[in-house]
Amino acid sequence: MTRTILRRLAACSAALLMSATPLLPTPMTGTPAAQAAPTAPTYVGKVRWAYYVPYAGDSLESLKQNIRTLTHVSPYWYQINGQGELVGGETKTNAAERGTVIDLARRNGVKVLPMVKNNDQYEAFTPALADAATRAKAVEGIVRMVVDGNFEGVNIDFEGISADDRPMLTQFMADLAPQMRAKGKIVSQAMAAKDGERTTGWAGEIGRAHI
């Protein structure tokens, strides 16, 4: 069966962390009003969100075939290490490939929110979450990447996180979200499905009640 990127629709696996306030035009009066801060958009209706992974040989063709059915796409272009640095790692991307994907999305009105994964895991990734300075460096790098790339937001897909680091992962998202929203950007997070409270395994890192 032909694989498609749609098998990982983030409508099911990502929690959208976005502002609920619409961006409205500022009324003009005799004195120009201060420019309102950008606000992350809200959505009514269906969200069809897919991942694009350049290391899979059929992913680009699948994206081309299905792009008209999507509202959002998260290309896997970035990783972050335990030192809070954005790196390429296993993403196997290049400028030409990124340009093709961005052009395809823009021509079809699909919002681009690059996926950021962790290339260090468990204890090796703890500093990026637990150390305030390293965490701030990571957050700053993500925000700068989104703004400089003129992307609509970011998708955080951290995997292999120690369950003990759950509060620090929550803090990471709490630090990232307001900075992104202040620039009118969307923040989303991929989460492992769970049917109850978990403290072990892939779902052990997620504090859903707080995020």
Side-chain angles (χ1 to χ4, degrees):
M1 181 180 295
T2 302
R3 294 175 296 166
T4 74
I5 52 172
L6 297 179
R7 66 175 181 268
R8 291 193 66 197
L9 283 176
C12 298
S13 63
L16 294 179
L17 308 176
M18 61 182 74
S19 168
T21 305
L23 179 60
L24 301 176
T26 302
M28 295 300 294
T29 60
T31 302
Q35 185 176 359
T39 305
T42 56
Y43 298 95
V44 177
K46 293 182 179 179
V47 174
R48 297 183 179 91
W49 196 316
Y51 288 102
Y52 162 72
V53 288
Y55 59 76
D58 61 349
S59 196
L60 182 56
E61 184 59 31
S62 180
L63 181 63
K64 291 177 180 178
Q65 292 176 4
N66 294 284
I67 191 69
R68 291 180 180 85
T69 70
L70 302 178
T71 58
H72 301 68
V73 63
S74 287
Y76 180 27
W77 288 337
Y78 301 98
Q79 291 183 307
I80 197 163
N81 61 26
Q83 291 71 53
E85 301 165 331
L86 280 177
V87 295
E90 68 177 7
T91 61
K92 302 187 185 304
T93 185
N94 56 63
E97 174 265 336
R98 290 193 298 271
T100 297
V101 172
I102 291 170
D103 179 66
L104 183 64
R106 298 289 184 245
R107 285 190 285 108
N108 288 277
V110 175
K111 293 175 172 57
V112 180
L113 297 89
M115 173 171 57
V116 178
K117 291 182 67 174
N118 50 312
N119 72 342
D120 288 323
Q121 294 187 334
Y122 300 108
E123 290 80 5
F125 193 64
T126 294
L129 302 175
D131 181 75
T134 306
R135 187 171 64 243
K137 177 182 177 181
V139 167
E140 179 184 358
I142 292 171
V143 174
R144 184 168 57 250
M145 175 271 291
V146 171
V147 172
D148 290 351
N150 196 29
F151 300 124
E152 281 76 18
V154 69
N155 177 253
I156 301 299
D157 186 10
F158 290 168
E159 303 174 359
I161 305 297
S162 299
D164 289 344
D165 287 343
R166 176 195 286 199
M168 282 76 84
L169 176 58
T170 300
Q171 187 60 54
F172 186 97
M173 299 304 296
D175 292 350
L176 176 63
Q179 294 194 40
M180 294 286 289
R181 291 172 180 158
K183 298 182 181 299
K185 305 298 184 180
I186 302 169
V187 182
S188 65
Q189 182 177 10
M191 295 184 179
K194 64 178 183 179
D195 56 2
E197 187 61 26
R198 305 291 184 193
T199 57
T200 60
W202 288 104
E205 67 198 54
I206 303 297
R208 290 175 184 265
H210 299 96
I211 291 178

mmCIF file of all heavy atoms in Angstrom, residues 26 35-36 54 130:
data_model
loop_
_atom_site.group_PDB
_atom_site.id
_atom_site.type_symbol
_atom_site.label_atom_id
_atom_site.label_comp_id
_atom_site.label_asym_id
_atom_site.label_seq_id
_atom_site.Cartn_x
_atom_site.Cartn_y
_atom_site.Cartn_z
ATOM 1 N N THR A 26 -7.202 47.902 13.251
ATOM 2 C CA THR A 26 -7.292 49.005 14.194
ATOM 3 C C THR A 26 -8.052 50.159 13.560
ATOM 4 O O THR A 26 -7.708 50.594 12.457
ATOM 5 C CB THR A 26 -5.890 49.491 14.590
ATOM 6 O OG1 THR A 26 -5.181 48.387 15.145
ATOM 7 C CG2 THR A 26 -5.969 50.608 15.615
ATOM 8 N N GLN A 35 -0.015 50.485 16.712
ATOM 9 C CA GLN A 35 -0.183 49.249 15.971
ATOM 10 C C GLN A 35 -0.339 48.077 16.924
ATOM 11 O O GLN A 35 0.448 47.893 17.841
ATOM 12 C CB GLN A 35 1.010 49.010 15.063
ATOM 13 C CG GLN A 35 0.843 47.788 14.171
ATOM 14 C CD GLN A 35 1.990 47.635 13.205
ATOM 15 O OE1 GLN A 35 2.905 48.462 13.208
ATOM 16 N NE2 GLN A 35 1.949 46.606 12.392
ATOM 17 N N ALA A 36 -1.414 47.307 16.727
ATOM 18 C CA ALA A 36 -1.665 46.158 17.595
ATOM 19 C C ALA A 36 -0.617 45.086 17.373
ATOM 20 O O ALA A 36 -0.117 44.904 16.267
ATOM 21 C CB ALA A 36 -3.063 45.593 17.308
ATOM 22 N N PRO A 54 11.713 14.435 4.692
ATOM 23 C CA PRO A 54 12.544 14.333 3.494
ATOM 24 C C PRO A 54 13.372 13.067 3.406
ATOM 25 O O PRO A 54 13.835 12.713 2.317
ATOM 26 C CB PRO A 54 13.432 15.587 3.572
ATOM 27 C CG PRO A 54 13.392 16.021 4.991
ATOM 28 C CD PRO A 54 12.063 15.609 5.513
ATOM 29 N N ALA A 130 16.020 21.595 31.444
ATOM 30 C CA ALA A 130 16.136 21.899 32.868
ATOM 31 C C ALA A 130 16.968 23.135 33.162
ATOM 32 O O ALA A 130 16.702 23.843 34.140
ATOM 33 C CB ALA A 130 16.728 20.699 33.608
#
